[in-house]
Amino acid sequence: MLPKELRESLKDHIANIDHPRELAVDVMFTLQDHYGYLSDEAVKEAAELLEMTPLEVDEIATFYTFVYREPVGKYVIHVCDSVICWMDGYESIKDCLCTKLAINVGETTADGLFTLLPVCCIGYCDMSPAMLINRKVYGHLNPEKIDSILEKLKAEA
Amino acid sequence: MKYPQILLQNRKPDRIATLEEYRQSGGYQALADILEKYSYKDVQEEILESRLLGRGGAAFPAGTKLMSVADDASFPRYIVCNADEMEPGTFKDRVLIHADPHMIIEGIIIAGYAVTAEKGIIFIRPEYESGAKILEREIDIARQSGYLGKNILDSDYALDIVVHRSAGRYICGEVTAQLSALMGKRPNPKQPPPYPTERGVWGMPTVLSNVETFACIPHIINNGPDWFKSLAKTETGAGTKIFCVSGKVKRPGFYELPIGTRLSEIIEEHAGGMRAGSEFKACLPGGASTQFLPKELYDIEMDFDPLREAGSRLGTGAIMVFDHKTCLVAATLNLIEFFARESCGWCTPCREGLPYIRDILWRIENGEGEEEFMPMLERMSKHLWSAYCAFAPGAISPLQGLLAHFKDEVLEHISQRKCPFK
Amino acid sequence: MSKLIIDDREIEVSPGTKVIEAAAQLGIMIPRFCYHPALGSVGACRVCAVKFIQGPFKGVQMSCMIDAQDGMVVSTTDEDVADFRRHVIEWLMLHHPHDCPVCDEGGHCLLQDMTVSGGHGIRRYLGKKRTYTDQFLGPLLQHEMNRCIHCYRCSRFYQEYSGYRDLGAMQSANRTYFGRFTDGILESPFSGNLSDICPTGVYTDKPSRYFGRRWDYQRSPSLCINCSLGCHTVASIKYREVKRQEARFSEPVNGYFICDRGRYGFFYSSLESRPRMARINGKQCTFNQAQHAMIEKLEEIKKNSGSAAIAAVGSLRSSLETLVMLAQLCQTKRWRDPACFIDSSQVQNVKTAISRLEPQLRVSLRDIERADFILAVGADPINEAPMLALAMRQAQRNGATIVVIDPRPVSLPFPFLYLPAAPMALSAYLGSLIKAVVNRGTADKMGDGARKFYDRIPEGKKLAEAQPPLSSEMLQSLQQSRRPIIVCGTEILSETVLSLSADFALLLQAAEKQAGLFYLMPGANAFAGGILSGEKDSFLQIIEQIEDGSIRALISVEADPFWWFDDRPRLERALDKIDLLVVLDYLDSQAAQRANIFIPTATFYESGGMLINQEGRVQVAPRALLGGIPISQAGGGDHPPRLYDVGIAGFDPKAAWLTLADLANGAAQEDEKALQQHLWKQISDLIPQLATFSSIDEIPQEGIVCSCGVNIDSRFSINWSAASNIRHDSGDDFDLIEVDWTFGTEELSSLSPCLWKLERKPCLVMHSGRAEIIGLTDVDLVEISTETGSLEAELRTADNMAPGILVLPRHRKLAWQIFTPGKIRIRKDQIRKKQ
Ligand SMILES: Cc1cc2nc3c(=O)[nH]c(=O)nc-3n(C[C@H](O)[C@H](O)[C@H](O)COP(=O)(O)O)c2cc1C
Ligand code: SF4
Ligand code: FES
């Protein structure tokens, strides 16, 4: 269940807009941040808040890349695999991440910290190869840099 | 060559320009002027006169779009700023947001005034969360300074802007898909009629333009359409363009240059030339959904018309440079992979045709190519132009460029039963 | 008109016609998947591509997306487009499981047809196939997502067309998935249409799964008798049973679709418990023995007590032939006139409706779709006649305002304005609506009667008492409307409201609006029952006369009073009292079980016949099968034993009217043709519009709308002072209204096992405020006691209903027959909470 405060603030927000559905993505993001991912439960809650049906929420939730309908780690790493990053070494960056995290693409580390997902061009081609972690960008990647980024995040976790 | 910096004039290496800095460079003067002296029609005419073409890729005349909102169209009307920018290779909108957000905001307000819009929405991709935060903050500041809200600068005009976060899909950049996304619906494109300017967001007249398009507008008002046209190097062009250069060049980055600047100049002078040991082989001139330009067109003027004549498009002006060591079959495979994944799934050619093409290309790249694949690729590419929206024609453009200019490279893959670059 | 050339042939079509339709008019079937005439064009599948050679469009374009225009030259055979279409089909087949041999769609699959006709025969794709996990969608439809070609027809029909919100498209790109949020029963009572519109086998009919290919079935046009709309269906028969039913296109009635009650409401026809043999006092006998016994017994009673001691009861699910024959039988035998209705108010309501259905007022379901304002009074579309709701949905999608004035908590799959009015207040509302939108001058145009009527509409004060008030939105949209339609139920209203609705529609016409009137009726052949019944002929009257001893024998023809008579104990006492109960039926009803003489009859599928729907449309269904015990039952699940016998097992039942004809003639009749001719004469005498036809076979498919019974003199004749006498809700008691639900209350469809899972739990519905006052809450188990008996049910509370009302569904699982027929009032102390 969503904490009352969060629920109320979402309700407020929704009440103050002409068309609640406009907030569908915002509400999904908020619930996702709260639960870690958009669980079935969360879809139902979002539906109720937005006066939509769970199916209607799921119709859009499953459409988008950044809505996670399955559990993910605390940090979601989106490595860019589009053409410029690919040319500048996406494969080795991905392999490096897989080795360091001991997971395959699409998986979450055993400690629940990291999930590794490839993603389409993230708009940082001038800093290729690049990745996003929880929507923050890291560019000009190389193995050492990846090491320090992961270490830092582990320490913060 | 150094050229006047218009859109990037206030750009700082390490931070965004403040409202004060924007004002000092003449910011919000255009808004004050139009509110005082211009009718909404005047604004439309100035912009039409300036020949500003949409910078989002489709090159539609901005003035014409504003004028297509009928005088008696219903209210409220919406103005939408497309900051989805998911075209691979493109990051100009990101740069503009991080350089001088008020320029965009002012552009939106002026365009909003030109169609009497009440609500502005900036639709931004989730990868640009930092940009979204900046915009939210600066919109607030603009509101506090009287540029937004009721009675803007004590006039009768009222407009507010909200930032709408997307959850990430390339198709959301397409106008009609974006409008559906805004309404919390599946972002499948919708063929007009009705046009968004008749019935867009919530069935109301909506004008949607790209970030860079909006950023040009204050300068057109301040300096006049003739000045804007004079910025271009080509006869028919107008304005400057932010070229995003990426790939095998020494200095990947963004360069504001006159429209019509030659490709060779952009690569050699501004992007520092090719990387050591790299030779220019080809580039995609306007993002992933344009055709490869081969070496023969290295000198082309980077403007809408010349590129169209060369069979490609200026698109978003994102120049992706490939060198002689890069396998263009593999590069195209990567691009097709992108498009196959991002297809919205509405129409058959795009939804099923692209994965099919991906499969064929994958086989060619991985030594399983057959000669009979060639006519298949050619036919299917042609047929993808009969898809529902512009996504599929864009998606197939690199492959068509590959087949037009680098057919031998593909055939070599097939005859050698391996990738010659591996 | 636009003139264009398609494949070198010229055609002229009306403006707005799509090229794909224009081609169809030339007999050219351009392939299509996403396009459907009812759902419109969306251009998703791209298989309808044609080449535009001249005119405003050029090159390869979708023929479903472009209006035919003057000067167009179009080719469907051009090499380019043919190749494009071939590719589209190849793409659509990439992931198809190629499971046609085990797919129920096989044989009537659009994808199969297009794959073959499109010229895609050889698989070139070397990649892997995508697979999906299917969902459980309930008892009616089987889900097989791997067969999906992503035409989006299902989600468009489900959400946009019908307004339900639990099935749609999820995921994106080539992972796009059509289904529900989670496994579960589809909420839409129109879900069965998915199996008709899906161009491949993603949604197939579950009850008939694996039973046969389309070509294995005898397919016959038929009509739905599960409500008064009379939708057109196709019945599919195999091994002597109806196994599947689909929608049949009917321009004026149901369009392309039918509801699930109708689609799956046929199972009664082949129930194992269906009586196939005649019985005398419970003992099986031959048909002839029973018939003899019946004739003899009736003679005897006539001799002892006179003809008037014999009464007959018919029902609204019988064919027109049977009802006419029954009426004729009673007349020639000088029995009492037959009763088809429960009580006099039911007859009167139906008769009033019939008398007011003037040709210029009555509208079809299709007209409803085109209305721009619909006022539903005392009608609960989804529950009483689901397809009406679907038609109203189309109007609403096109911008119509829908207003519902009804005491029940009406719900519809789209937004509408609702006034929870007590039945007594309905005429007051109508009066004030009339006053608000029609001025006196307009009324004056309609003559003296209309003006007087108008002047007598009670003014302000009386109307103000009606709560809640009409909203200005309602009034405004009615004022602005150009094609308003009044929809009016006949079940819970008084005759006055029915009349008033018609008067209102007349006045709207006088106000230059294209107004229309649409009544719902209490059964499939209620219209026919209405024209054949006298004002007072009701079953209640029969009961009273049994009680006073004047009736000694009762013949019940395809009627089961146990199902619909309000007072069960009284019914039982009455039946105990008579000397003879003869029952003719195809159901194993309670009446049939009690009958002294029982004679089985043929179902509507086996006899065919005529029905008059609520609009007055005389429609014909041919006989769809001969009858007989289904093979599956004859063989006990195995191959049936070979019996060296003549005829078909269980073949005795014949159309009820034939048995009645035998009875009328005193002996079995040989010459069926002659009987038919005789009957046709009777029917065409009754319905003058049929006089131009020489036999039933000439009646066109869309039927003939008749105006028999129309009585212009009844215009503007209501008694205002009585009508506007609003009884104040004292808060102490309730008006109980018995209602229909989509599933579980209608006699025939209630016998379909596949629909049982869709039934709502039986309950009593009370206004939540009122419930609170008497100390009851939602889902309490309550008991209602009357002098007659008591009834237990769950209580459900609702905010959106008239407070003084208690709603009771005539649910098959509820022994609700404990009331005195007529208006039922329940005091609050009659309702008690059970532990
Ligand atoms: C598949 C597809 C993706 C697009 N993505 C973007 C985008 O990310 N940003 C953008 O500004 N325009 C994008 N466009 C172009 C828009 O449809 C539209 O033409 C443009 O935003 C209008 O703005 P403009 O007139 O200022 O160029 C895309 C078009 C297509 C067909
Ligand atoms: S081409 Fe078709 S499937 Fe592709 S994005 Fe456009 S509409 Fe969607
Ligand atoms: S029928 Fe025209 S695109 Fe599907």
Side-chain angles (χ1 to χ4, degrees):
Chain A
M1 271 295 278
L2 217 50
K4 204 165 163 219
E5 252 166 62
L6 192 56
R7 203 187 162 72
E8 291 305 313
S9 91
L10 282 174
K11 268 193 163 161
D12 255 16
H13 202 160
I14 290 167
N16 284 320
I17 187 158
D18 292 341
H19 305 281
R21 270 181 102 132
E22 212 168 301
L23 295 177
V25 169
D26 286 345
V27 169
M28 290 195 294
F29 275 165
T30 309
L31 296 192
Q32 169 163 298
D33 289 346
H34 176 75
Y35 289 104
Y37 73 107
L38 199 73
S39 59
D40 284 2
E41 178 74 28
V43 170
K44 287 186 205 152
E45 276 176 331
E48 199 200 312
L49 284 163
L50 295 160
E51 287 176 25
M52 292 164 75
T53 64
L55 177 268
E56 285 169 334
V57 172
D58 218 18
E59 280 189 308
I60 48 177
T62 53
F63 193 93
Y64 291 116
T65 312
F66 284 79
V67 175
Y68 313 125
R69 283 288 277 112
E70 279 172 43
V72 286
K74 178 160 190 221
Y75 300 107
V76 183
I77 307 179
H78 283 286
V79 215
C80 174
D81 66 357
S82 287
V83 67
I84 298 298
C85 291
W86 162 81
M87 203 160 49
D88 279 342
Y90 156 73
E91 284 291 334
S92 64
I93 297 298
K94 178 196 74 184
D95 291 345
C96 170
L97 281 162
C98 286
T99 319
K100 294 216 155 89
L101 297 170
I103 52 173
N104 290 315
V105 165
E107 293 178 353
T108 302
T109 52
D111 58 6
L113 272 189
F114 297 98
T115 298
L116 181 60
L117 298 169
V119 72
C120 290
C121 179
I122 54 176
Y124 294 89
C125 315
D126 50 342
M127 301 184 213
S128 64
M131 66 180 180
L132 292 175
I133 301 181
N134 290 4
R135 285 194 248 166
K136 184 165 178 273
V137 69
Y138 298 85
H140 298 303
L141 296 176
N142 56 41
E144 297 77 58
K145 213 162 166 183
I146 289 176
D147 258 344
S148 73
I149 295 166
L150 294 184
E151 284 317 314
K152 190 159 166 270
L153 290 178
K154 271 186 204 157
E156 280 171 11
Chain B
M1 264 291 275
K2 276 244 174 275
Y3 297 105
Q5 298 291 286
I6 314 296
L7 307 180
L8 295 180
Q9 56 182 292
N10 293 322
R11 184 176 172 272
K12 310 281 177 291
D14 53 346
R15 63 172 178 83
I16 65 162
T18 61
L19 171 62
E20 208 35 56
E21 284 162 335
Y22 179 61
R23 270 206 205 115
Q24 272 162 18
S25 71
Y28 286 114
Q29 190 53 51
L31 177 62
D33 285 352
I34 61 149
L35 290 177
E36 198 180 329
K37 301 193 285 247
Y38 287 46
S39 72
Y40 73 94
K41 284 248 174 239
D42 297 339
V43 180
Q44 292 180 352
E45 260 153 39
E46 287 279 296
I47 295 172
L48 182 71
E49 180 61 29
S50 77
R51 271 203 321 251
L52 169 64
L53 298 184
R55 303 300 198 224
F60 192 79
T64 312
K65 196 186 289 182
L66 294 171
M67 287 173 160
S68 63
V69 176
D71 288 339
D72 58 356
S74 36
F75 291 98
R77 302 170 183 179
Y78 290 83
I79 186 113
V80 179
C81 171
N82 188 345
D84 197 49
E85 192 163 66
M86 278 194 66
E87 185 72 32
T90 315
F91 43 89
K92 63 196 177 62
D93 299 347
R94 182 196 92 213
V95 169
L96 283 168
I97 295 167
H98 283 80
D100 208 356
H102 285 283
M103 193 184 290
I104 305 164
I105 296 170
E106 188 184 2
I108 298 174
I109 306 171
I110 295 173
Y113 176 80
V115 294
T116 335
E118 277 169 42
K119 184 164 179 190
I121 302 174
I122 303 180
F123 186 96
I124 190 162
R125 63 184 301 194
E127 290 88 338
Y128 290 177
E129 179 55 31
S130 59
K133 291 220 172 75
I134 290 169
L135 285 167
E136 274 173 342
R137 189 185 66 217
E138 300 303 317
I139 286 169
D140 236 15
I141 293 175
R143 197 179 293 121
Q144 282 157 25
S145 315
Y147 300 126
L148 281 172
K150 294 213 164 71
N151 305 106
I152 295 176
L153 297 180
D154 296 327
S155 71
D156 290 339
Y157 183 53
L159 174 82
D160 216 334
I161 303 181
V162 296
V163 175
H164 183 103
R165 285 169 175 77
S166 174
R169 272 291 168 210
Y170 175 68
I171 193 62
C172 296
E174 198 277 341
V175 204
T176 55
Q178 185 159 109
L179 301 181
S180 293
L182 278 170
M183 296 186 278
K185 297 195 197 143
R186 282 172 71 79
N188 294 121
K190 282 235 163 68
Q191 234 169 53
Y195 288 88
T197 47
E198 299 160 17
R199 277 199 274 139
V201 186
W202 305 117
M204 293 297 155
T206 303
V207 168
L208 179 146
S209 286
N210 174 254
V211 170
E212 190 183 353
T213 315
F214 282 117
C216 293
I217 289 178
H219 305 288
I220 293 171
I221 302 291
N222 276 338
N223 304 304
D226 289 334
W227 165 85
F228 191 71
K229 282 185 272 195
S230 76
L231 290 171
K233 282 199 168 184
T234 46
E235 194 64 16
T236 53
T240 60
K241 176 86 197 72
I242 298 187
F243 292 100
C244 302
V245 189
S246 60
K248 298 294 185 186
V249 293
K250 280 213 186 89
R251 284 199 303 268
F254 45 93
Y255 305 98
E256 182 180 8
L257 303 170
I259 257 201
T261 307
R262 287 183 192 281
L263 176 62
S264 49
E265 179 187 328
I266 299 177
I267 292 180
E268 278 160 28
E269 283 187 33
H270 305 285
M274 297 297 289
R275 287 192 206 165
S278 279
E279 259 173 50
F280 179 89
K281 178 177 178 184
C283 78
L284 291 169
S289 53
T290 58
Q291 288 215 9
F292 284 111
L293 287 185
K295 183 89 192 225
E296 297 85 76
L297 294 167
Y298 191 48
D299 242 1
I300 194 165
E301 290 175 317
M302 294 293 284
D303 193 356
F304 295 102
D305 289 343
L307 277 163
R308 193 177 306 122
E309 279 153 31
S312 192
R313 290 188 308 123
L314 182 63
T316 60
I319 303 169
M320 301 148 92
V321 182
F322 301 89
D323 69 355
H324 68 297
K325 288 180 291 189
T326 305
C327 172
L328 289 187
V329 175
T332 310
L333 172 60
N334 177 286
L335 291 162
I336 293 285
E337 177 82 45
F338 165 86
F339 288 111
R341 201 196 283 166
E342 291 300 310
S343 163
C344 81
W346 177 251
C347 74
T348 312
C350 178
R351 184 187 61 244
E352 308 292 353
L354 288 172
Y356 194 163
I357 290 167
R358 171 186 57 194
D359 183 73
I360 295 176
L361 278 179
W362 186 91
R363 282 170 204 281
I364 294 175
E365 172 64 13
N366 288 282
E368 295 176 18
E370 302 288 347
E371 235 155 78
E372 70 206 41
F373 288 171
M374 295 301 285
M376 285 168 73
L377 285 179
E378 257 151 31
R379 284 214 175 166
M380 283 195 216
S381 318
K382 192 179 112 215
H383 289 328
L384 249 69
W385 283 77
S386 298
Y388 184 81
C389 81
F391 178 107
I396 207 63
S397 287
L399 176 62
Q400 289 189 310
L402 181 77
L403 296 175
H405 304 295
F406 300 95
K407 194 168 183 175
D408 290 345
E409 192 173 317
V410 187
L411 288 171
E412 218 180 314
H413 277 75
I414 295 176
S415 60
Q416 291 186 17
R417 297 217 133 247
K418 74 179 202 46
C419 172
F421 295 86
K422 273 191 195 148
Chain C
M1 297 297 273
S2 320
K3 219 185 234 170
L4 69 163
I5 295 173
I6 304 175
D7 290 348
D8 302 326
R9 289 158 68 196
E10 200 174 74
I11 174 121
E12 213 171 332
V13 294
S14 49
T17 309
K18 301 284 179 215
V19 173
I20 197 170
E21 291 288 2
Q25 290 182 22
L26 281 170
I28 302 169
M29 163 80 170
I30 298 177
R32 77 281 309 273
F33 288 121
C34 63
Y35 173 76
H36 183 286
L39 306 181
S41 313
V42 290
C45 76
R46 315 307 280 175
V47 82
C48 69
V50 296
K51 185 123 163 209
F52 286 77
I53 293 158
Q54 271 172 42
F57 293 86
K58 288 277 155 55
V60 177
Q61 303 278 351
M62 301 310 124
S63 59
C64 72
M65 295 291 279
I66 293 178
D67 286 353
Q69 283 164 47
D70 267 335
M72 281 179 165
V73 177
V74 177
S75 165
T76 70
T77 54
D78 172 277
E79 184 47 40
D80 258 2
V81 270
D83 189 59
F84 175 69
R85 291 197 303 255
R86 185 155 52 235
H87 273 85
V88 171
I89 290 160
E90 179 179 12
W91 289 327
L92 291 173
M93 289 300 290
L94 295 186
H95 302 287
H96 190 278
H98 292 176
D99 60 344
C100 308
V102 294
C103 174
D104 272 332
E105 191 79 2
H108 62 287
C109 172
L110 198 59
L111 181 60
Q112 271 181 340
D113 294 350
M114 293 302 121
T115 305
V116 174
S117 70
H120 166 64
I122 295 171
R123 188 170 178 78
R124 301 189 293 178
Y125 181 63
L126 299 168
K128 284 188 180 165
K129 284 185 188 178
R130 154 201 71 212
T131 54
Y132 294 111
T133 311
D134 299 324
Q135 285 181 328
F136 167 78
L137 298 179
L140 307 184
L141 292 171
Q142 180 66 36
H143 198 216
E144 284 279 350
M145 255 308 286
N146 289 335
R147 298 173 185 150
C148 178
I149 56 163
H150 301 90
C151 66
Y152 288 80
R153 271 192 192 180
C154 58
S155 64
R156 286 158 56 216
F157 170 76
Y158 204 90
Q159 297 188 5
E160 291 165 28
Y161 195 88
S162 3
Y164 286 82
R165 299 164 68 188
D166 61 316
L167 179 123
M170 287 163 283
Q171 308 277 356
S172 64
N174 68 345
R175 301 171 304 278
T176 305
Y177 183 91
F178 296 88
R180 283 172 42 91
F181 175 58
T182 49
D183 283 23
I185 298 176
L186 291 166
E187 286 165 18
S188 164
F190 306 104
S191 66
N193 292 299
L194 295 178
S195 69
D196 288 357
I197 56 161
C198 174
T200 171
V202 178
Y203 307 92
T204 50
D205 189 83
K206 204 172 196 172
S208 67
R209 194 164 192 229
Y210 296 148
F211 202 81
R213 292 269 178 246
R214 178 164 281 194
W215 59 77
D216 296 329
Y217 289 108
Q218 278 162 258
R219 285 162 52 74
S220 168
S222 193
L223 293 169
C224 175
I225 56 172
N226 297 319
C227 85
S228 61
L229 299 177
C231 294
H232 294 217
T233 67
V234 178
S236 285
I237 290 116
K238 193 181 168 192
Y239 296 150
R240 286 191 220 138
E241 59 188 305
V242 181
K243 279 307 275 192
R244 185 189 297 168
Q245 198 159 236
E246 288 146 302
R248 175 165 58 108
F249 177 71
S250 156
E251 170 68 32
V253 185
N254 53 303
Y256 289 88
F257 306 114
I258 52 173
C259 77
D260 290 348
R261 186 206 279 180
R263 180 180 299 266
Y264 298 99
F266 61 81
F267 285 84
Y268 67 88
S269 64
S270 53
L271 286 181
E272 211 147 342
S273 58
R274 185 180 150 193
R276 308 269 176 175
M277 293 276 281
R279 294 190 297 252
I280 300 177
N281 291 327
K283 268 184 59 196
Q284 289 198 344
C285 62
T286 67
F287 187 84
N288 283 340
Q289 283 167 340
Q291 188 148 337
H292 265 115
M294 167 174 74
I295 293 170
E296 239 167 57
K297 274 276 182 194
L298 287 167
E299 266 315 305
E300 197 183 307
I301 288 174
K302 182 182 149 196
K303 231 180 260 152
N304 297 341
S305 318
S307 304
I310 303 174
V313 53
S315 86
L316 308 180
R317 60 175 155 93
S318 283
S319 66
L320 178 60
E321 287 90 331
T322 297
L323 293 175
V324 169
M325 196 65 224
L326 183 62
Q328 199 205 349
L329 173 69
C330 292
Q331 206 178 26
T332 47
K333 294 274 179 187
R334 294 170 193 285
W335 299 344
R336 291 184 22 83
D337 283 338
C340 303
F341 297 91
I342 305 170
D343 55 25
S344 59
S345 79
Q346 205 187 25
V347 205
Q348 274 164 16
N349 276 3
V350 170
K351 287 189 84 69
T352 302
I354 291 170
S355 73
R356 301 309 307 268
L357 275 174
E358 298 177 29
Q360 86 270 23
L361 280 184
R362 64 179 177 224
V363 291
S364 67
L365 265 188
R366 188 49 32 90
D367 297 317
I368 294 217
E369 293 183 356
R370 301 192 192 108
D372 59 1
F373 179 95
I374 298 175
L375 171 65
V377 191
D380 181 358
I382 274 289
N383 285 315
E384 295 184 320
M387 284 301 290
L388 168 61
L390 201 61
M392 288 165 71
R393 161 70 173 168
Q394 306 323 306
Q396 179 269 338
R397 284 174 73 204
N398 294 327
T401 304
I402 316 283
V403 176
V404 175
I405 308 187
D406 199 287
R408 287 166 282 193
V410 172
S411 82
L412 290 167
F414 50 83
F416 62 100
L417 304 173
Y418 171 67
L419 260 181
M424 289 295 284
L426 290 172
S427 31
Y429 280 119
L430 287 179
S432 55
L433 274 166
I434 293 173
K435 272 271 156 102
V437 296
V438 180
N439 57 39
R440 190 164 186 272
T442 308
D444 208 25
K445 276 195 284 184
M446 299 286 295
D448 264 8
R451 198 194 53 247
K452 280 193 196 125
F453 162 91
Y454 188 89
D455 288 342
R456 286 194 197 123
I457 298 178
E459 271 311 329
K461 196 177 129 302
K462 269 267 162 54
L463 295 174
E465 287 168 11
Q467 284 297 333
L470 292 162
S471 70
S472 58
E473 196 182 350
M474 293 177 189
L475 295 174
Q476 250 173 27
S477 36
L478 177 56
Q479 262 151 7
Q480 286 159 7
S481 70
R482 299 181 48 224
R483 297 177 307 281
I485 287 179
I486 300 177
V487 171
C488 191
T490 51
E491 288 239 54
I492 65 165
L493 299 180
S494 70
E495 201 187 332
T496 320
V497 182
L498 300 178
S499 285
L500 199 44
S501 299
D503 294 334
F504 192 1
L506 282 170
L507 287 172
L508 288 171
Q509 284 190 343
E512 311 283 300
K513 295 185 192 288
Q514 291 173 39
L517 177 65
F518 189 93
Y519 288 118
L520 285 178
M521 291 193 186
N525 227 348
F527 195 106
I531 47 181
L532 289 163
S533 296
E535 293 280 344
K536 297 247 148 49
D537 297 332
S538 76
F539 187 69
L540 180 60
Q541 194 192 36
I542 292 180
I543 292 281
E544 283 162 2
Q545 293 181 354
I546 292 176
E547 285 164 346
D548 72 19
S550 51
I551 288 179
R552 310 290 324 159
L554 181 64
I555 306 181
S556 169
V557 181
E558 296 177 338
D560 181 13
F562 285 87
W563 182 268
W564 39 254
F565 189 66
D566 290 278
D567 190 341
R568 174 74 55 86
R570 186 172 173 193
L571 172 65
E572 303 211 9
R573 282 196 304 273
L575 294 183
D576 282 345
K577 199 165 173 211
I578 52 175
D579 302 333
L580 176 68
L581 174 64
V582 178
V583 173
L584 276 60
D585 208 344
Y586 47 79
L587 298 182
D588 187 27
S589 67
Q590 287 204 47
Q593 287 163 16
R594 287 186 67 120
N596 303 103
I597 297 172
F598 171 78
I599 297 178
T601 62
T603 62
F604 196 61
Y605 297 107
E606 294 154 6
S607 63
M610 290 191 256
L611 292 174
I612 310 182
N613 81 352
Q614 38 64 247
E615 182 198 351
R617 191 176 290 274
V618 186
Q619 306 191 108
V620 182
R623 169 193 272 190
L625 76 159
L626 286 175
I629 297 179
I631 303 284
S632 61
Q633 290 163 22
D638 206 338
H639 195 279
R642 173 161 300 192
L643 297 175
Y644 293 92
D645 196 359
V646 280
I648 299 169
F651 200 61
D652 284 348
K654 50 182 184 174
W657 73 266
L658 284 169
T659 302
L660 295 175
D662 293 347
L663 183 53
N665 295 303
Q669 298 296 297
E670 293 302 319
D671 190 353
E672 201 177 314
K673 269 252 144 54
L675 282 179
Q676 241 152 11
Q677 259 161 21
H678 181 72
L679 185 65
W680 173 251
K681 173 133 192 358
Q682 304 271 314
I683 291 174
S684 50
D685 282 350
L686 183 69
I687 302 166
Q689 275 83 357
L690 297 182
T692 51
F693 305 109
S694 62
S695 83
I696 180 173
D697 306 325
E698 289 177 11
I699 297 179
Q701 203 187 78
E702 70 273 20
I704 289 290
V705 191
C706 71
S707 355
C708 45
V710 169
N711 177 7
I712 306 240
D713 296 338
S714 56
R715 288 174 169 190
F716 304 113
S717 59
I718 76 153
N719 178 346
W720 268 116
S721 51
S724 55
N725 193 2
I726 301 174
R727 183 180 72 91
H728 280 281
D729 175 16
S730 66
D732 278 342
D733 49 14
F734 297 91
D735 287 324
L736 182 125
I737 47 181
E738 296 160 4
V739 301
D740 246 339
W741 275 356
T742 316
F743 302 114
T745 62
E746 186 269 328
E747 192 175 6
L748 298 177
S749 60
S750 292
L751 294 167
S752 296
C754 61
L755 294 178
W756 293 344
K757 278 218 169 68
L758 308 181
E759 289 171 3
R760 282 158 61 197
K761 205 168 151 193
C763 64
L764 277 159
V765 191
M766 186 187 283
H767 189 269
S768 36
R770 193 58 66 81
E772 203 182 316
I773 295 175
I774 57 178
L776 296 171
T777 54
D778 204 39
V779 305
D780 275 352
L781 185 64
V782 295
E783 184 182 61
I784 297 188
S785 321
T786 64
E787 293 86 69
T788 313
S790 71
L791 157 73
E792 253 179 52
E794 199 174 278
L795 183 81
R796 301 312 306 258
T797 61
D799 293 330
N800 59 337
M801 63 182 288
I805 298 296
L806 197 57
V807 178
L808 173 72
R810 302 189 200 90
H811 203 287
R812 69 177 179 96
K813 285 189 180 163
L814 215 55
W816 57 270
Q817 295 90 340
I818 55 159
F819 304 101
T820 310
K823 284 211 171 1
I824 303 167
R825 177 132 325 146
I826 300 290
R827 294 183 317 275
K828 68 181 180 194
D829 61 18
Q830 285 176 279
I831 309 170
R832 201 165 57 82
K833 180 172 167 174
K834 299 269 290 185
Q835 326 312 336

